[in-house]
Amino acid sequence: MSPPPTTSLGVRGHPAADWPLLPLPFGITPGKKTTFSLLQVGEHLRICPQGYTCCTSEMEENFANKSRSEFEAMMKEAGRSVQAILTAQHRSFDSYFQDLLNKSEKALYDAFPSMYGELYTQNVKVFKDLYSELRRYYRSSNINLEEALNEFWTRLLERLFKLLNPQYHITDEYLDCMVKHAEQHKPFGEVPRDLKLKATRAFIAARSYAQGFLVGSDVVRKVSQVSLSQECTRAIMKLLYCPHCRGMASVKPCNNYCLNVVKGCLANQADLSTEWKYLMDSLIGVADRIDGPYNVDTVIGTIHVRISEAISNLQENRDSITSKVFQGCGNPKISTKGSSSEDKRRRGKVTLEAKSSAQALEMLVLDAKGNLTALKTYWITLPSSLCSKKVMASSASDDKCWNGMTKGSYLPEVMGDGLANQINNPEVEVDITKPDMTIRQQIMQLKIMTNRLGNANIGNDVDFQDTSDDMSGSGSGDSCPDDVCGKRLSKSPSTRQPETHAIPKQSGHGISGASSRSLPSASLLLLLSVAVIAAQHLWR
């Protein structure tokens, strides 16, 4: 039997006017005469139900490609909104913190010349180097902050002692001896010890906090670029465009049907949820420290004030300190170039003040905590968000929705979240034994960053050398002078190599009362990351 005659947009000899108007199928050019059989038997279809259809094989393939690109665009758009939130939070805090440091440095440069005369003007580089080192540390350079502060006080003491005792010929060997007794004599009072304790905690917290936003944003960016599997592409096509092939373009997909498709497609992404939540909780915990016990606004904004206190202490106790140094190191030789030190004394009583920006910090932290709390469930709520806002699925109780085969109700139950829960997914064939390696690597990045934040929360430092290039902090590309980068402490008796800090044993998950986990070393996490990457070949 010969096939039924076909006409443009008609079937079995009936003209197009006998059929309800349908949307123009994808791949058909308006104005161009196209002859095909509308509602022909769909034995040629590979994805859509093989009942009567208006789609050819070519159209089905075009629909599959279109649905793939549209769903990937949905994922990237959702990811960009999260990236924008995290990037904005980083930018706000980074701007605030850098401004604090800049204002402190400027206040020092403005006030010290009139306060200390040559004691300052002949040692400008010492002060500039200090602020340079502090900035480099904040930008995640490989700097031991305690050593940098020790080096500053050592260099400052050496130069001020010489300037305050110009009548003596003081050699480098004599200065070495003096520095060895500095801890005992306390020439700067308690300022160095107190500033080191408070500044290190504040800088560690600030650096980790700023870096946490960048890591979170980078994880979202990389995960949003993960390609869809072939099985997912077929399921998305069936969800979005098979109704068009059945003449049901206006019928919305059933909500539970949509959820099963998207949960199957994003099974690996959902496995990010646990570590993602820990990162958000950790950032909130450190935010509370920054605006609370670590008092970043006061500590960073008053560095110049503390330095002034230290110099004043040295001046006021000059005779006593000099006497103690002479007792311990002997009397230096009288210099033939001796001169009066009156010009090097303070030229007048000036009170340094630091303007507080505590209210600005409080608002920053409050805004950040609100956004971080809202983002905690991002990965597990993504399927429902895409179905309701992008796919425009029908309500859960609708029994006249597209269920993958026809217009009706959807009976299968909704799957759980994550890869392991997709073993019986009725819509997407998911191999739960082959996790996506890109996403597993990002899970490891989240663990490493959460570990850093956990250490920062208790005042421990962790180096940032394994941070990827595209996650570097603001200003990380700035050049570093050789005389600063190459400088290492050599004279301070308190010089020490970076050490591994003991971390208190904790239980649960998260930090700061939220849930708290024991914090493994960053090195261990990096080894685990390498192991995961190496296992990729086995899974493939």
Side-chain angles (χ1 to χ4, degrees), residues 516-534:
S516 172
R517 295 186 292 176
S518 61
L519 304 171
S521 68
S523 299
L524 177 59
L525 289 173
L526 286 174
L527 288 174
L528 289 173
S529 181
V530 172
V532 170
I533 296 170

Side-chain angles (χ1 to χ4, degrees), residues 76-347:
K76 289 179 180 178
E77 183 181 349
R80 280 193 293 268
S81 66
V82 176
Q83 287 178 258
I85 292 172
L86 295 174
T87 302
Q89 291 299 326
H90 170 267
R91 189 182 299 114
S92 296
F93 179 77
D94 180 70
S95 176
Y96 164 81
F97 190 85
Q98 298 268 20
D99 189 53
L100 268 185
L101 208 52
N102 291 341
K103 286 180 178 177
S104 173
E105 185 175 23
K106 184 178 184 302
L108 185 148
Y109 296 156
D110 289 345
F112 275 33
S114 60
M115 291 177 69
Y116 301 113
E118 290 184 10
L119 292 182
Y120 167 74
T121 57
Q122 293 190 22
N123 295 290
V124 173
K125 189 175 184 304
V126 177
F127 299 105
K128 285 188 175 180
D129 286 349
L130 171 64
Y131 281 95
S132 175
E133 292 286 85
L134 293 177
R135 287 191 182 88
R136 289 181 59 223
Y137 175 84
Y138 172 69
R139 292 168 181 168
S140 303
S141 297
N142 186 24
I143 292 175
N144 185 302
L145 186 57
E146 289 189 10
E147 285 189 5
L149 290 170
N150 287 340
E151 171 74 358
F152 166 73
W153 293 116
T154 296
R155 294 174 66 199
L156 186 62
L157 176 60
E158 292 173 347
R159 285 157 179 75
L160 295 188
F161 189 81
K162 273 186 161 183
L163 287 171
L164 291 171
N165 296 279
Q167 68 273 31
Y168 296 105
H169 177 66
I170 300 176
T171 64
D172 288 344
E173 290 75 15
Y174 194 90
L175 290 176
D176 286 341
C177 177
M178 177 193 66
V179 169
K180 289 178 182 178
H181 291 84
E183 187 69 24
Q184 176 185 354
H185 300 153
K186 293 186 177 7
F188 295 121
E190 295 295 332
V191 173
R193 184 193 66 82
D194 185 59
L195 182 61
K196 181 167 68 174
L197 174 64
K198 293 178 179 178
T200 51
R201 291 192 309 187
F203 268 92
I204 289 168
R207 180 172 82 157
S208 300
Y209 184 67
Q211 194 74 7
F213 287 115
L214 292 178
V215 169
S217 176
D218 194 67
V219 166
V220 175
R221 178 182 64 82
K222 289 180 178 177
V223 171
S224 297
Q225 294 173 347
V226 173
S227 299
L228 300 180
S229 66
Q230 190 62 36
E231 292 77 11
C232 174
T233 300
R234 292 170 61 88
I236 292 294
M237 153 63 182
K238 190 175 179 182
L239 173 74
L240 296 179
Y241 286 107
C242 283
H244 291 244
C245 292
R246 295 298 301 276
M248 303 177 186
S250 62
V251 180
K252 296 179 179 180
C254 299
N255 186 65
N256 287 354
Y257 170 43
C258 179
L259 287 176
N260 275 341
V261 171
V262 179
K263 285 191 175 192
C265 288
L266 304 184
N268 283 280
Q269 286 84 339
D271 283 346
L272 286 156
S273 182
T274 299
E275 293 302 329
W276 178 263
K277 182 178 181 297
Y278 293 155
L279 179 66
M280 299 297 106
D281 283 335
S282 298
L283 282 167
I284 290 172
V286 174
D288 285 332
R289 293 284 189 179
I290 286 173
D291 190 33
Y294 292 171
N295 208 355
V296 166
D297 177 74
T298 301
V299 173
I300 307 304
T302 61
I303 291 176
H304 61 292
V305 178
R306 303 310 310 278
I307 294 173
S308 177
E309 291 175 8
I311 296 175
S312 296
N313 188 81
L314 178 64
Q315 287 183 311
E316 292 166 4
N317 299 283
R318 168 189 172 186
D319 295 337
S320 172
I321 292 169
T322 300
S323 176
K324 291 177 181 178
V325 171
F326 287 179
Q327 289 177 13
C329 301
N331 294 327
K333 295 180 179 179
I334 300 295
S335 174
T336 56
K337 300 179 182 179
S339 63
S340 172
S341 63
E342 290 304 311
D343 290 340
K344 301 172 184 66
R345 292 181 178 272
R346 183 158 38 175
R347 296 181 178 180

Side-chain angles (χ1 to χ4, degrees), residues 53-72:
T53 181
C54 63
C55 287
T56 64
S57 296
E58 181 182 2
M59 290 169 60
E60 185 184 45
E61 183 179 351
N62 288 338
F63 273 138
N65 293 333
K66 180 178 174 65
S67 61
R68 179 192 187 99
S69 62
E70 286 182 349
F71 189 77
E72 288 180 343

Side-chain angles (χ1 to χ4, degrees), residues 382-424:
L382 185 57
S384 60
S385 177
L386 291 177
C387 284
S388 62
K389 298 177 181 178
K390 301 299 181 180
V391 179
M392 303 298 290
S394 66
S395 63
S397 60
D398 190 355
D399 62 353
K400 295 181 181 180
C401 52
W402 173 252
N403 61 17
M405 296 298 293
T406 187
K407 182 168 70 173
S409 58
Y410 183 77
L411 300 179
E413 64 177 348
V414 178
M415 297 293 101
D417 300 305
L419 187 62
N421 285 318
Q422 306 310 311
I423 189 170
N424 294 318

